[in-house]
Amino acid sequence: MPTAPKPRQVISLLMLRHNTVVQASELVDELWPELPPPSAVTTLQTYIYKFRKLLLKQGLGNLLQTQPGGYSLTIPPSSLDVSLFERQAEEGQKLLQRGESGAALACFEQALALWRGPALADVETGGRLFSYVTRLEELRFRILELRIEADLENGRHRELISELKALVLAHPLHEHLHGLLMLALHRSGRRHEALEVYQSLRQKMIDELGLEPGKELARLQHTLLSDSPAEPQEPPRRPRARSTAPPDPAAAPTTPALAHADALVSGSLAPLAAPPPPELAPVPAPGPVLPPAPASLTPPPPTPHLPVPSTGAGAAQVPAQLPSPVAVWESIGTPAQLPAGLAGFVGRDDVLKELETALCEPGGPAADGTAAHIGVVTGPPGIGKSAVAVHLAHTLRPHFPDGQLYADLRGSSAEPRDPSEVLRGFLRALEVPTSRIPEGLEECGALFRSRTAGRRVLVLLDDVASSAQIRHLLTADPRCALLVTGRRRMTALVEAERVELGAPSPEEALEILAVLASRQRVDREPEAAHRTVELLGRHPLALRCVGGRLAAGPGLSLSALADRLEATPRILDVARLGELDVRSRFAASYAGLSHQAQGVFRLLSMLGETSFTASQAAELLSRPVQELESVLEVLADNHLLVADRCADGIGRYVFDRLTRAYAKERLEETLAAPPVAEEVGVR
């Protein structure tokens, strides 16, 4: 393994993405996440060459293959620890769901034994590798929790106490770990210590987060407080395979009151939020009074105990609602920060359906239950990314009843927003007192993840500059969702569902014009309407500008407008209406390019609207092909060129109509400008 950091990054990404093609642009983005140097592609090829030499020395040169646009590393999954870990973890979860806790425990132990330290501990991580590390560490922690739950089901509560105490010290605000420790202590006959664990956690959460423990832990504490010393009774359990571990004869008997506690901490089969089953034995009511909550979090008076619907004689009666702190989540405000949707929004049905599936359905990117669902919408300037995202977010509000957060990151401007500022705004919206909001970005991010844990929150981040800008704005709960828009591709968000918006279909473009300019005018002059739409490249913002002009001028005919668009040498002059200005959107993206990329962008406008290869562009510009390829990738990454790879495997690029119009304007301005020497002489 090389010792230099960047070759190690390349090898790590190829191994994590084994048996698939890793695009060269993805590797470049991993190595240089902000601004790749002009020699990025050449340097990457050097790293690949050295890696291939290492493999050849081991007689494994055929494992690394050069593919169209990238590279693939062919490795049997059985030879990688990460694949073995994921397979054992998945098998263990299936066994636990079937009630075979003994076999599940063996799988979890084998999976965790493959770990020898943090994921990629000796590798620097860019955006892509950071996403993999985060996912693997989250999955590792989840499997550790499931292994502990399987241990509890196999009667190993006494052996777990020391391990759980060490874990809660390392994770002092992790409620589920504290719940597992409470249960292990209780089953070992140390109920007073279990209650002390709860009080200690509660005080820490109040002091550091201004929060009470969640409903589930509060129910567990109430169950322990209400535990009756009555004659032991075996609680009802789900069927499961006979465990190979012998029961602990010294274990404290599980009482009827603790049957609810078992359900609360039995992992994926019975989530913490599960209500108590109706066959529970009666819980003495009222139980001992809990310590009073702080004045700012004092809940409403407890609801009187109500009977659970009876299923037969002697059915149990349990409280319908427990006293504080059960209702803590309900006491937190529900932010609703989404901006108003675009009036007359039209089409994009396929895109909306694809994103809705990714953000809401269980089979999406977070199907393993360890990460929030993420959707990314990218595309050229003014193509309608924000309109699609806002429209979708309003549609999905019923799926996220705990709140919708919104922030404009201003990524396409000269001064993008500081993520710390955005996080503080989110925390204030979630009713965290200003005095409790930390200064550091890391601490703010941790508090944001804690505040959204256990809630169904939708976060919309508009106009994001790069994945690095939002790294600390990601929620961690799989019930949450993140919707991101930006002009760059942001492929570093590897687990996200990415949608690249292009021009709408001719039918949708005509519908946009009809909604804005009146359907009667479009129906009256269909040929002129179609010509207008195509002359504007079906660009949504340009259509809104022209549609607004038509609406403001009832006497302006579509034929006259189409003739003007066809005759004008600067079509972007027409694609402007008040604050709506297509040219300014392109200018913001152009300003973010390097001097070299700006020059190539201008000169490429001479190729017209036909597609071209890197070789053809290099011939026109008299530049080396490899040097030009990296610049073309940058332009495509910023959606100033449309990239495509045809059946022959050769990458091709093409301008859309308005992007080329802007590039041509900049070229003409450059050619018309006086020489630098003359400018200096005038001064």
Side-chain angles (χ1 to χ4, degrees):
M1 187 77 169
T3 56
K6 289 194 182 300
R8 295 173 75 87
Q9 283 180 267
V10 171
I11 295 172
S12 298
L13 188 55
L14 288 170
M15 293 183 72
L16 285 168
R17 295 270 297 279
H18 61 281
N19 303 331
T20 61
V21 177
V22 181
Q23 295 295 321
S25 60
E26 297 179 80
L27 290 164
V28 169
D29 196 48
E30 167 64 29
L31 296 173
W32 300 279
E34 296 303 325
L35 186 62
S39 61
V41 174
T42 303
T43 305
L44 172 63
Q45 290 170 344
T46 302
Y47 296 154
I48 293 294
Y49 170 73
K50 291 181 177 180
F51 182 32
R52 186 173 276 117
K53 282 185 66 178
L54 286 175
L55 293 174
L56 284 169
K57 288 181 180 179
Q58 306 296 323
L60 302 172
N62 61 328
L63 296 186
L64 182 60
Q65 300 291 330
T66 300
Q67 304 288 350
Y71 308 92
S72 65
L73 187 64
T74 306
I75 302 178
S78 58
S79 63
L80 288 177
D81 283 352
V82 64
S83 299
L84 294 174
F85 166 70
E86 291 176 332
R87 188 173 64 189
Q88 290 285 354
E90 182 181 2
E91 180 63 23
Q93 292 180 79
K94 291 178 180 177
L95 289 168
L96 195 60
Q97 288 173 353
R98 294 201 297 263
E100 301 176 31
S101 58
L105 177 58
C107 282
F108 293 146
E109 289 175 339
Q110 291 174 27
L112 294 170
L114 294 168
W115 285 77
R116 300 174 183 85
L120 299 183
D122 55 354
V123 178
E124 292 184 7
T125 57
R128 284 174 173 75
L129 287 180
F130 180 81
S131 298
Y132 281 109
V133 168
T134 301
R135 176 185 175 277
L136 287 171
E137 290 290 354
E138 287 287 343
L139 182 56
R140 175 192 189 183
F141 197 81
R142 176 58 180 152
I143 296 307
L144 176 62
E145 289 181 286
L146 292 175
R147 194 227 80 207
I148 292 172
E149 292 173 9
D151 271 330
L152 283 172
E153 291 212 11
N154 284 275
R156 299 187 69 250
H157 37 271
R158 292 183 185 278
E159 295 88 337
L160 286 172
I161 290 175
S162 59
E163 180 183 6
L164 282 167
K165 283 188 173 182
L167 285 170
V168 299
L169 285 174
H171 305 275
L173 299 176
H174 197 292
E175 295 186 45
H176 188 47
L177 287 178
H178 283 75
L180 294 171
L181 176 57
M182 290 169 65
L183 186 59
L185 287 167
H186 176 84
R187 288 184 176 180
S188 302
R190 297 157 67 173
R191 184 158 60 108
H192 66 289
E193 291 184 53
L195 294 171
E196 288 174 1
V197 169
Y198 177 85
Q199 293 300 336
S200 174
L201 172 65
R202 179 177 182 270
Q203 194 60 51
K204 287 176 188 173
M205 292 185 67
I206 291 172
D207 292 343
E208 298 184 28
L209 304 177
L211 296 174
E212 291 273 1
K215 295 179 182 180
E216 299 81 19
L217 209 60
R219 284 196 182 119
L220 176 56
Q221 187 233 20
H222 182 81
T223 303
L224 298 185
L225 286 171
S226 305
D227 194 9
S228 171
E231 184 177 347
Q233 175 183 335
E234 183 67 21
R237 289 184 176 271
R238 60 180 179 269
R240 69 183 182 197
R242 184 173 299 172
S243 172
T244 57
D248 186 350
T254 305
T255 63
L258 192 57
H260 182 201
D262 284 342
L264 288 176
V265 291
S266 59
S268 60
L269 293 177
L272 287 178
E279 58 267 26
L280 283 175
V283 176
V289 179
L290 299 179
S296 62
L297 292 174
T298 302
T303 303
H305 292 181
L306 300 173
V308 172
S310 175
T311 58
Q317 292 186 356
V318 296
Q321 181 178 349
L322 296 174
S324 174
V326 169
V328 170
W329 279 126
E330 285 79 351
S331 69
I332 298 175
T334 302
Q337 297 184 340
L338 297 178
L342 183 66
F345 182 87
V346 171
R348 304 292 193 183
D349 294 336
D350 293 341
V351 169
L352 294 171
K353 182 61 178 175
E354 182 178 350
L355 289 169
E356 180 179 354
T357 300
L359 296 179
C360 297
E361 294 190 4
D368 59 0
T370 62
H373 298 251
I374 304 176
V376 177
V377 185
T378 62
I383 205 67
K385 301 178 291 293
S386 298
V388 166
V390 171
H391 182 83
L392 176 66
H394 279 287
T395 303
L396 298 183
R397 286 180 65 178
H399 295 276
F400 301 97
D402 295 319
Q404 306 89 40
L405 299 169
Y406 169 83
D408 181 356
L409 276 294
R410 299 198 293 267
S412 57
S413 69
E415 297 182 358
R417 287 186 69 183
D418 184 349
S420 297
E421 174 194 348
V422 176
L423 275 172
R424 293 189 185 99
F426 284 172
L427 291 171
R428 286 191 293 270
L430 293 169
E431 297 191 353
V432 176
T434 303
S435 60
R436 296 187 183 275
I437 297 178
E439 290 295 325
L441 178 59
E442 295 276 355
E443 293 79 5
C444 277
L447 181 54
F448 176 62
R449 291 190 294 274
S450 298
R451 197 66 170 180
T452 54
R455 308 182 74 189
R456 288 172 291 174
V457 177
L458 174 64
V459 182
L460 172 54
L461 302 176
D462 197 16
D463 194 13
V464 172
S466 66
S467 54
Q469 189 185 18
I470 61 171
R471 180 173 298 176
H472 296 284
L473 297 171
L474 304 179
T475 57
D477 196 296
R479 285 163 288 196
C480 295
L482 181 70
L483 187 54
V484 178
T485 75
R487 296 186 184 179
R488 294 191 64 185
R489 288 174 176 166
M490 286 181 284
T491 49
L493 296 172
V494 293
E495 295 183 349
E497 180 71 25
R498 284 185 295 276
V499 172
E500 293 196 16
L501 282 187
S505 66
E507 295 76 19
E508 289 182 353
L510 283 170
E511 184 65 18
I512 293 173
L513 191 62
V515 167
L516 295 168
S518 87
R519 190 171 306 280
Q520 291 82 358
R521 294 170 82 172
V522 170
D523 292 342
R524 190 166 55 245
E525 301 181 86
E527 187 277 333
H530 179 77
R531 192 154 50 103
T532 299
V533 163
E534 293 302 324
L535 286 168
L536 292 171
R538 305 199 301 272
H539 192 280
L541 182 58
L543 288 170
R544 295 191 70 82
C545 294
V546 169
R549 284 177 179 271
L550 290 167
L556 178 61
S557 71
L558 270 168
S559 297
L561 178 63
D563 291 341
R564 179 182 174 187
L565 288 171
E566 208 161 32
T568 181
R570 292 168 63 92
I571 195 170
L572 296 179
D573 288 342
V574 184
R576 180 177 181 179
L577 183 67
E579 295 180 356
L580 299 179
D581 183 8
V582 177
R583 182 183 285 114
S584 66
R585 307 296 177 92
F586 285 120
S589 292
Y590 177 82
L593 299 175
S594 66
H595 180 71
Q596 180 192 31
Q598 288 179 350
V600 172
F601 175 70
R602 294 191 300 264
L603 292 170
L604 288 176
S605 65
M606 294 188 295
L607 290 172
E609 296 178 20
T610 57
S611 63
F612 57 88
T613 65
S615 299
Q616 291 170 332
E619 183 179 351
L620 171 72
L621 305 181
S622 300
R623 302 277 184 92
V625 175
Q626 289 185 343
E627 175 187 328
L628 199 58
E629 279 181 338
S630 62
V631 179
L632 293 175
E633 282 297 322
V634 169
L635 294 176
D637 189 48
N638 285 274
H639 289 96
L640 293 174
L641 280 179
V642 179
D644 190 18
R645 191 165 298 280
C646 299
D648 57 9
I650 299 176
R652 285 178 169 79
Y653 303 87
V654 66
F655 277 112
D656 64 42
R657 181 178 291 269
L658 295 193
T659 308
R660 178 178 176 268
Y662 178 76
K664 189 177 178 183
E665 284 185 7
R666 300 308 300 244
L667 177 62
E668 292 170 351
E669 291 169 5
T670 302
L671 295 174
V676 176
E678 292 182 15
E679 290 181 0
V680 174
V682 171
R683 293 176 186 171

